[in-house]
């Protein structure tokens, strides 16, 4: 343990920070405006200063800052925020700007005085420091990335297919300028798609970890919808074409890559810089191949991850509904509901409800008074029993009015029985429909009903989690052992299968499913 360093005054002691002596980085002071208790006004000021950098390189004057704050708040949050919070006395602008300067978030300097009136006004000018500006750009980008999807990601696969085809044609014609331009577009679009995929994977990992919550389920549901819009509608459609073009790109020789790098950097580029540029170009071609070539490429792997997350989302949603934020009694409630449904009449059901819940009818107060009349005495002839004064003053009193009557639930039970019978009929029809399609590739399946689609997801998930055999097929049985499933992989040259559902289409591998039901 390090000794205390005594100060100049008697009785004062200064703790020596061993971490500071070691030279390790600690608190980032210029980011303190994000973590203080009342961070909203600081965020508003930093937002305005960051936007002002696009219009002025000399900072923002103190006299113009209140107006910019009001305009920004009115545009983003409405006039109500402007009227209530941006008063000069409520905002305490000078105090907050001084605090931002102490944190190192902003720079402050005095503007030059040119007129006599300039000496009478506040000539302070403010500008974000370089570190604070970069940090706030990152924060704003991260907040927008939670809700928005880049247009380049939405059009990414189509753009990649177009530019890769242009690149291959330009390389064959020795047009290195066109090849360089097309390949640069491929690199940028592929980078956007990779960032989107990493963001989705991170969101899935967060949503599927730990106990389910309403926020996690909502985030995962939004993620799945965005995936269907981006990947399901575009990547799966263009993957075969991009995969064939990516194989052609890998056949480009080293001299062509070097010529493209020379066009990008210029003929006077050093050899080491030129070698790094060639490595960057060829790495992009390898990334393109890894994403779109082969049966186990990255685009299909991401699709499988999202597909496997669907049952977990549904299971988490059901768990959250059954828990309701407390210990689940779902099994006991369902058992009691079944016994109530099988009751002979309403009186038997009410008796069963009383025994299960303990909600019996009220009973009269029985007092063991010392002078109580013997058993069998008439109510009219027996002497009155003494009741304690506290009980008379504070005891429970009967409510006025007529007693409540047992509700008539016969109609509701009849409706529940009808819905249960309808669900059993739909399930039986769905099972027969799935069995008729046994042994056919998914591309040959006609449109499915809602019940058939739900049953297909359950059987397909069970098969994918089953035992893998040497020929690539998988076999498994459901938990109730009623279904035996065998999944045969699609041929190498087979395209994806499109499953028609009432609410839309689903793109899957063109596998063959074989079912046996006991």
């Amino acid at each position: 343990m390090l000794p205390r360093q005594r100060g100049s005054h008697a009785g004062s002691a200064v703790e020596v920070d061993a971490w500071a002596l070691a030279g390790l980085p600690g608190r980032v002071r210029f980011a303190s405006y994000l973590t203080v208790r009342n961070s909203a006004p600081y965020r508003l000021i930093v937002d305005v200063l960051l936007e002002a950098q696009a219009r002025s390189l000399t900072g923002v004057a103190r006299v113009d800052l209140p107006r910019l704050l009001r305009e920004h708040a009115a545009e983003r949050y409405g006039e109500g925020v402007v009227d209530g919070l941006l008063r000069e006395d409520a905002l305490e602008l000078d105090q907050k700007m001084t605090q931002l300067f102490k944190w190192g978030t902003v720079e402050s300097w005095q503007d030059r005085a040119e007129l006599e009136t300039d000496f009478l006004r506040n000539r302070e000018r403010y500008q974000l420091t370089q570190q604070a500006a970069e940090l706030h750009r990152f924060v704003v980008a991260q907040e927008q990335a939670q809700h928005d999807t880049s247009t380049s990601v939405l059009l990414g696969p189509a753009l990649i297919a177009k530019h890769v085809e242009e690149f291959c044609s330009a390389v064959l014609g020795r047009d290195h300028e066109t090849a360089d331009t097309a390949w640069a577009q491929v690199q940028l679009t592929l980078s956007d798609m990779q960032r989107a995929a990493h963001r989705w994977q991170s969101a899935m990992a967060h949503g599927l970890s730990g106990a389910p919550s309403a926020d996690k389920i909502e985030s995962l549901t939004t993620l799945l919808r965005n995936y269907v819009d981006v990947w399901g509608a575009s990547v799966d459609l263009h993957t075969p074409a991009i995969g064939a073009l990516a194989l052609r790109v890998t056949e480009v020789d080293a001299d062509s890559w070097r010529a493209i790098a020379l066009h990008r950097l210029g003929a006077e580029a050093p050899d080491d810089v030129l070698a790094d540029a060639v490595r960057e170009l060829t790495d992009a071609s390898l990334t393109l191949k890894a994403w779109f070539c082969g049966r186990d490429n990255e685009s299909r792997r991401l699709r499988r991850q999202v597909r496997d997350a669907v049952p977990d989302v549904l299971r988490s949603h059901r768990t959250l509904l059954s828990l309701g934020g407390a210990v689940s009694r779902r099994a006991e409630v369902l058992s009691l509901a079944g016994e109530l449904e099988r009751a002979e009449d309403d009186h038997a059901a009410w008796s069963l409800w009383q025994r299960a819940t303990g909600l019996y009818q009220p009973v009269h107060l029985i007092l063991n008074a010392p002078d109580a009349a013997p058993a069998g005495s008439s109510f009219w002839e027996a002497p009155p029993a003494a009741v304690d004064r506290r009980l008379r003053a504070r005891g429970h009193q009967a409510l006025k009015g007529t007693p409540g009557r047992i509700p008539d639930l016969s109609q509701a039970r009849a409706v529940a029985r009808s819905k249960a019978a309808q669900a059993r009929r739909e399930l039986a029809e769905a099972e027969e429909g799935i069995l008729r399609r046994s042994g056919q590739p998914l591309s040959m399946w006609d449109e499915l009903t809602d019940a058939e689609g739900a049953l297909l997801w359950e059987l397909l998930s069970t098969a994918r989690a089953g035992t893998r055999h040497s020929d690539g097929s998988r076999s498994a049985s459901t938990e109730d052992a009623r279904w035996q499933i065998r999944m045969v992989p699609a041929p190498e040259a087979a395209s994806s299968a499109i499953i028609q559902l009432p609410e839309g289409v689903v793109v899957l591998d063109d596998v063959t499913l074989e079912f046996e039901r006991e």
Side-chain angles (χ1 to χ4, degrees), residues 63-375:
V63 294
D64 297 333
L65 191 54
R67 176 181 57 81
L68 296 176
L69 291 173
R70 294 179 65 86
E71 293 176 356
H72 179 85
E75 180 182 356
R76 294 288 182 89
Y77 312 109
E79 293 291 341
V81 176
V82 175
D83 297 336
L85 298 178
L86 293 185
R87 300 192 313 271
E88 202 56 44
D89 55 341
L91 184 59
E92 297 179 351
L93 185 58
D94 291 332
Q95 178 181 356
K96 287 181 172 53
M97 297 308 299
T98 302
Q99 186 62 56
L100 288 172
F101 177 76
K102 292 180 179 179
W103 285 334
T105 308
V106 300
E107 296 175 337
S108 175
W109 67 94
Q110 289 284 332
D111 200 0
R112 186 175 59 181
E114 298 179 354
L115 302 175
E116 293 182 359
T117 56
D118 293 340
F119 292 96
L120 302 178
R121 66 180 180 89
N122 191 329
R123 292 180 290 113
E124 288 285 340
R125 298 189 69 87
Y126 301 102
Q127 178 70 284
L128 289 179
T129 61
Q130 182 178 358
Q131 292 176 322
E134 293 295 332
L135 173 65
H136 202 65
R137 289 192 186 94
F138 171 78
V139 171
V140 173
Q142 289 300 310
E143 292 177 345
Q144 293 177 351
Q146 301 297 326
H147 308 284
D148 300 335
T149 301
S150 175
T151 306
S152 62
V153 176
L154 294 173
L155 303 177
L159 293 175
I160 288 179
K162 174 184 177 182
H163 292 304
V164 172
E165 187 174 1
E166 293 178 358
F167 171 80
C168 294
S169 301
V171 169
L172 290 177
R174 298 295 179 181
D175 186 359
H176 298 137
E177 181 179 359
T178 304
D180 183 25
T181 303
W183 193 248
Q185 295 296 327
V186 172
Q187 288 179 284
L188 293 175
T189 308
L190 190 60
S191 177
D192 289 341
M193 292 179 61
Q194 285 180 305
R195 283 196 296 268
H198 294 162
R199 187 166 63 247
W200 286 336
Q201 288 174 325
S202 177
M204 280 192 295
H206 169 71
L208 297 177
S209 62
S213 63
D215 294 337
K216 288 183 178 180
I217 293 176
E218 182 180 0
S219 176
L220 283 175
T221 304
T222 304
L223 171 81
L224 296 178
R225 291 174 181 172
N226 290 340
Y227 171 84
V228 172
D229 294 338
V230 178
W231 240 256
S234 186
V235 172
D236 294 331
L237 180 63
H238 294 88
T239 293
I242 297 176
L245 293 171
L247 293 177
R248 292 174 55 186
V249 172
T250 57
E251 297 175 357
V252 176
D253 55 7
D255 294 337
S256 299
W257 288 118
R258 183 178 177 85
I260 295 173
L262 281 172
H263 178 271
R264 178 173 296 188
L265 299 177
E268 298 180 356
D271 292 340
D272 55 344
V273 177
L274 186 62
D276 292 338
V278 172
R279 189 180 304 107
E280 176 188 351
L281 296 174
T282 54
D283 288 345
S285 67
L286 297 178
T287 303
L288 188 68
K289 180 180 178 182
W291 266 83
F292 297 101
C293 293
R295 293 185 52 82
D296 196 25
N297 54 52
E298 293 295 331
S299 61
R300 289 189 175 183
R301 187 174 301 174
L302 178 62
R303 182 177 63 184
R304 286 197 299 268
Q305 289 179 346
V306 178
R307 178 205 61 202
D308 295 339
V310 173
D312 294 331
V313 174
L314 296 177
R315 191 179 302 111
S316 299
H317 183 67
R318 293 168 184 167
T319 302
L320 191 65
L321 290 178
S322 62
L323 288 176
V327 178
S328 175
R329 304 293 296 274
R330 183 171 181 269
E332 299 178 14
V333 173
L334 291 178
S335 177
L336 177 60
E339 295 181 5
L340 291 174
E341 186 179 2
R342 293 188 295 270
E344 297 179 357
D345 50 24
D346 290 344
H347 293 286
W350 181 251
S351 177
L352 177 61
W353 175 261
Q354 287 180 325
R355 293 195 303 270
T357 61
L359 300 178
Y360 293 95
Q361 294 180 352
V363 296
H364 293 287
L365 179 64
I366 299 178
L367 295 178
N368 295 323
D371 54 349

Side-chain angles (χ1 to χ4, degrees), residues 427 431 458-459 477-484 517-518:
L427 179 59
E431 291 181 352
E458 181 180 356
L459 298 177
S477 60
T478 56
E479 294 182 357
D480 56 1
R482 292 186 62 246
W483 290 81
Q484 301 292 330
R517 185 184 62 178
E518 296 184 358

